Amino acid sequence: MDFYLGIDFGTSGARAVVIDESAHIQVQVRYPWLEVDSLVSSWQKALLTLLGQIPEQLRREIRAIAINGTSSTVLLCDVNGNPVDTPLLYNDGRGSLVLEELRDIAPANHTVLSATSSLAKLRWMMQLPSFGEARYFLHQADWLGFLLHGQLGISDYHNALKLGYDVEKLKYPEWLESLQTPIQLPKVLPPGTPIGEVRPEISQQFLFPDDCVVCAGTTDSIAAFLASGAKSPGEAVTSLGSTLVLKLLSHTRVEDARYGIYSHRLGDLWLTGGASNTGGAVLREFFTDAELENLSREINATKASQLDYYPLLKVGERFPINDSNLPPRLTPRPDNPAEFLHGLLESIARIEAQGYELLQKLGADSLNQVYTAGGGAKNPTWAAIRQRNLKVPVISSLNTEAAYGTALLAMQRIRE
Ligand code: ADP
């Protein structure tokens, strides 16, 4: 039997999933983030602990491994791959200090023009005393992959998008090349491309086959999309977590910086999407998860609520309405809590439908099916309300674990 291993380094912990040739899960293991003094040593420990937790009989037949990391979590390494400073995490905003300078360099509205982009982080890191020792700039997934295959300076085009890599032409753009950054930017491969065999020390320690390969990785949110089962143009995944995130698979690339819309490349297709500030965090302001479940059962999902809210925690929205002054709209509030919840769920569903309409108006393929992930996915009443608003089938994701999506990525490229 051949097995495939996907490893997810997400925001709340690290997980690993082993699948067989039929994409069935053989084992899942996890490693929660603990209080640690060094980020890189905790990543390394998490990786090795996860590998050790996989039963030996599976490890002996793993053909390929891929890793996903959080997007724009980056670090500088020396010639031997040792980090020269603390990594900057995905949400680290210190890049805001170089945004002005970046605006003079990058094309208007480019994805790199954000305080948390990989390129903003790299430009910020250039003033660190440790920068002199650095030879390579890597993303979290690149460095973790290096620990397994031993090759430095390799990334994938999902992680490299926010570094400014041109995912359409598959090269670094001229404006980026002309900066002559005094450090090696990663060589960028399609996600899932086999990079090399597992280092001998690793295969001896964990009893992987000698020809087990490590593949180029991806980011955690794309891995979660891959896990859903969506694969044809027109299929989408809505994530109903603290915020509302839409992703729609399309033949065309859609970008609009005003709404924070951009597209990742997915083979010959594009994964386009946007993120709204509405979502489950607003529901949590008013209801516990148990109340959400119980009150939802009292709602007649076939009937549209006439309450027209714009549920936000604070002023400001980007997608599908670009208005930094948009106020939360949560009135009138009926006395009956189920009626109030109905209004909230209906209003978020309308915003979701408006989001997909905007993506289609900007050129994305017609929506034909929506998978659902996140904490709100388990609410059947909401699914029915959404289906009525979206006018396409709303179905559960096959799986919502990024580690599972990454295992699929490892398998697909090997078996092509
Ligand atoms: P995060 O984006 O923080 O990872 P999760 O995917 O874990 O979020 O989802 C958490 C959200 O799910 C919470 O904000 C909560 O309001 C929402 N939620 C939990 N249970 C339900 C439910 N039964 N119906 C609707 N929403 C729910």
Side-chain angles (χ1 to χ4, degrees), residues 65-371:
I65 305 173
I67 304 180
N68 71 261
T70 44
S71 174
S72 293
T73 294
V74 295
L75 71 167
L76 295 171
C77 299
D78 68 14
V79 66
N80 298 313
N82 296 314
V84 301
D85 217 316
T86 313
L88 293 195
L89 291 178
Y90 59 98
N91 56 358
D92 194 309
R94 280 175 281 184
S96 61
L97 298 169
V98 299
L99 263 188
E100 273 312 306
E101 161 201 323
L102 260 190
R103 283 203 182 92
D104 295 336
I105 301 170
N109 297 329
H110 198 282
T111 338
V112 298
L113 294 173
S114 136
T116 55
S117 76
S118 301
L119 187 61
K121 287 180 176 125
L122 169 59
R123 302 293 295 181
W124 181 83
M125 285 166 151
M126 281 168 65
Q127 45 78 39
L128 291 171
S130 54
F131 190 75
E133 296 161 58
R135 268 286 289 286
Y136 297 96
F137 175 79
L138 295 177
H139 303 89
Q140 180 186 35
D142 310 339
W143 185 74
L144 290 162
F146 151 75
L147 294 182
L148 299 186
H149 57 60
Q151 298 183 40
L152 275 164
I154 303 180
S155 189
D156 63 85
Y157 61 55
H158 292 158
N159 273 295
L161 182 78
K162 290 179 186 166
L163 180 56
Y165 185 78
D166 185 335
V167 294
E168 200 153 348
K169 299 201 176 106
L170 297 178
K171 62 188 190 68
Y172 284 105
E174 262 159 41
W175 61 263
L176 190 51
E177 296 277 19
S178 67
L179 293 178
Q180 299 189 330
T181 310
I183 195 164
Q184 177 116 17
L185 292 180
K187 177 180 160 194
V188 180
L189 300 175
T193 308
I195 294 175
E197 287 170 358
V198 178
R199 285 165 48 214
E201 307 90 280
I202 296 284
S203 59
Q204 276 153 25
Q205 184 180 351
F206 295 101
L207 307 170
F208 292 127
D210 290 341
D211 60 354
C212 170
V213 293
V214 184
C215 305
T218 180
T219 62
D220 59 346
S221 58
I222 297 205
F225 180 89
L226 298 175
S228 71
K231 40 175 131 20
S232 310
E235 291 185 336
V237 176
T238 297
S239 175
L240 300 171
S242 304
T243 58
L244 173 75
V245 183
L246 313 188
K247 291 201 172 76
L248 171 58
L249 204 50
S250 178
H251 285 102
T252 37
R253 181 179 190 176
V254 178
E255 311 267 321
D256 196 318
R258 290 173 301 168
Y259 300 103
I261 297 172
Y262 61 90
S263 299
H264 270 287
R265 184 172 182 152
L266 216 58
D268 296 332
L269 299 174
W270 295 93
L271 187 54
T272 180
S276 162
N277 292 334
T278 193
V282 185
L283 300 178
R284 206 162 251 175
E285 279 280 289
F286 300 103
F287 304 104
T288 64
D289 285 2
E291 285 169 336
L292 287 174
E293 212 175 311
N294 294 331
L295 292 171
S296 294
R297 285 201 206 102
E298 296 176 26
I299 295 171
N300 177 1
T302 58
K303 228 176 120 236
S305 165
Q306 297 310 309
L307 294 164
D308 182 20
Y309 299 146
Y310 206 103
L312 293 173
L313 285 183
K314 55 183 182 68
V315 167
E317 175 65 310
R318 181 97 184 262
F319 170 88
I321 295 173
N322 171 26
D323 179 358
S324 53
N325 296 316
L326 188 78
R329 194 170 66 239
L330 292 157
T331 53
R333 181 171 170 175
D335 294 334
N336 179 337
E339 241 178 81
F340 181 45
L341 178 62
H342 192 177
L344 290 168
L345 298 180
E346 188 84 39
S347 301
I348 298 176
R350 283 190 207 112
I351 296 168
E352 180 186 7
Q354 204 183 334
Y356 283 120
E357 271 159 29
L358 177 62
L359 294 175
Q360 292 166 89
K361 198 174 116 204
L362 294 172
D365 285 342
S366 298
L367 183 72
N368 56 39
Q369 178 152 285
V370 179
Y371 293 82

